[in-house]
Structures are given as structure tokens and as C-alpha cells.
Amino acid sequence: MRNKIVVGNWKMNNDKSQTKDLILSIKKSIQQKDNLRVILSPSFIHLESAISETLDTNIEICAQNIHQKEFGAYTGETSALMLKSIGVKTVIIGHSERREYFKENEQILSEKINTALKNGLEIIYCFGEQYKDRKNKNYHQIVLSQIKNVLFKLDPKDFENVILAYEPIWAIGTGETASADEAQEIHGFIRNVIKEKFGNEISEKTPIIYGGSIKPVNADKIFSKKDVDGGLVGGASLKADDFIKIINSL
Ligand code: PGA
């Protein structure tokens, strides 16, 4: 049975005390369930304190990015080894904001994934189509190429440390969301792509989570679909009450 996973991606939000307060509120109200992973992703500078705040819980803390090199003269960057040294175990790679604003292409994303996996970090690989691709109905090709160009180079055993996050760009931070049926349709497609390349066992084990304007009102329906294993939540993860409701929908 696949784990259910909810990730709160806080992006560039929350100062030190806001980060602490949000973690405390989530900690207080969360009900632990078997096979449920709750992962919070604060900014880099709050990762270590977030790890300390959650030591006595099942809540996990993940990073929003890493640099593809292991060390060196890369001013302002953070390496896999640095993250590991403070106890981070998971990292988000390929978020559409990184692709768009920081020009991270598939070559860079492949390098980041290799570096993360080589250093024993689990990855959450994000991908998804733009609105025009959905409208023109060529989103399957886009999603296929985002998987093929990056994940097909991996070794099958790497998939023990891979979470896939399908995030249609048109739904991120827009209030628009894929319907539950649209989410299931593309998640089923993604699982099939993984199956054709890596076999049934890996495809059945790999979690595929959905991201894009998940809220308490739509989480239930989206999470009820058989190939949707949870969600990557941005805006709604900044409010403890909403985030807890979303977690409880799984
Ligand atoms: P959103 O963000 O929930 O605010 O749409 C999702 C994401 O960027 O991962």
C-alpha cells in the first residue's frame, strides 16, 4: 500500500516567529494516521529550527531546493551535504516557480536529482503543463517529456526515494484547480508511463501527489481518486486550520 502524503510548501513566506507559530498550531491539531506522511517545507533559514520543533512528532521537514553541485564557489546556494548535515531528508526539485523564475531547465533538474539521490536525499519531482497545453489537449506529450527527459535516466532502485508531484501550472496559486476526474486521468497516465519504463511494481509503489490550489473544499474529492496519493499544498498550507482540514481529507 502506498503512503499518503501531504506537503506544505511555504515558499518565501513566514519569518522566524511565524514559522514557529505555524508549526506549533499544526503540531497541536494533527492526528497521526498510519501510512500518512505530513511534510512541511519552510525556507532554508528555518529548516533547522523546524526540525527541532518537530522532533517529537511524525511531521517531516523538507527543503524547497538544492544546488546541483556538492560544494564550491556558488554564492548564495545550499548543497545536499549541508541539508543532510542538519537532518533534512527530502527536497523539492523542479517546482514550476524554479523552472520559470530561475530558469531551471531539464539538464539542471537532472543534475539536481542526481546529486540529491546520490547523497541519500528523497526527492519530490514537480512537473505539469501550462494552460495552453491543457487547452490544446497536448498536455500528455508535455508531461511525458517532463518525465522522460528527467526520470528515465534514473536507476529503478532510485524510485525508492522518488515522489512525483503533478502540478498543472495553470492551477498553481490561481484558485483554478484540476477537477478530481482531470487529476485522476493524468495521474493514471503518469503511473502508466512509469509502468511502461520501470515495470508494474515500481509504478504501483511510487507516490504521485497533486498540486495546484488545493483547499479544504476540494481536497476530499481530489484525494478520493485512486492514483492521487496526496497533495503538494502552497497557499492553503500557510493557514493551520485549512492545512489540517486538507490533511484530514486524506
Ligand atoms: P498553491 O501552490 O496550492 O498555492 O496553488 C501549490 C504549489 O506551488 O506547490
Side-chain angles (χ1 to χ4, degrees), residues 7 9 11 92 95-97 126 167-168 171-176 210-215 232-237:
V7 186
N9 176 12
K11 308 189 182 185
I92 298 171
H95 192 281
S96 65
E97 289 149 17
C126 304
E167 297 208 298
I172 297 177
T174 58
E176 289 261 342
Y210 168 84
S213 296
I214 296 183
K215 297 189 188 67
L232 179 47
V233 188
S237 70

Side-chain angles (χ1 to χ4, degrees), residues 3-20:
N3 279 325
K4 300 284 181 190
I5 302 167
V6 184
V7 186
N9 176 12
W10 294 348
K11 308 189 182 185
M12 198 175 72
N13 293 297
N14 293 333
D15 66 13
K16 184 174 170 165
S17 65
Q18 289 166 326
T19 300
K20 185 171 177 175

Side-chain angles (χ1 to χ4, degrees), residues 186-212:
I186 188 75
H187 280 231
F189 172 79
I190 294 163
R191 199 173 302 288
N192 202 44
V193 168
I194 301 296
K195 180 176 162 184
E196 279 178 6
K197 172 71 182 168
F198 294 101
N200 195 45
E201 197 183 332
I202 288 176
S203 87
E204 283 303 318
K205 276 192 185 155
T206 304
I208 309 174
I209 61 176
Y210 168 84

Side-chain angles (χ1 to χ4, degrees), residues 20-36:
K20 185 171 177 175
D21 289 349
L22 191 49
I23 290 173
L24 290 181
S25 309
I26 293 169
K27 242 168 92 166
K28 215 170 55 201
S29 331
I30 204 167
Q31 293 158 10
Q32 304 290 354
K33 285 190 224 158
D34 286 348
N35 297 319
L36 172 66

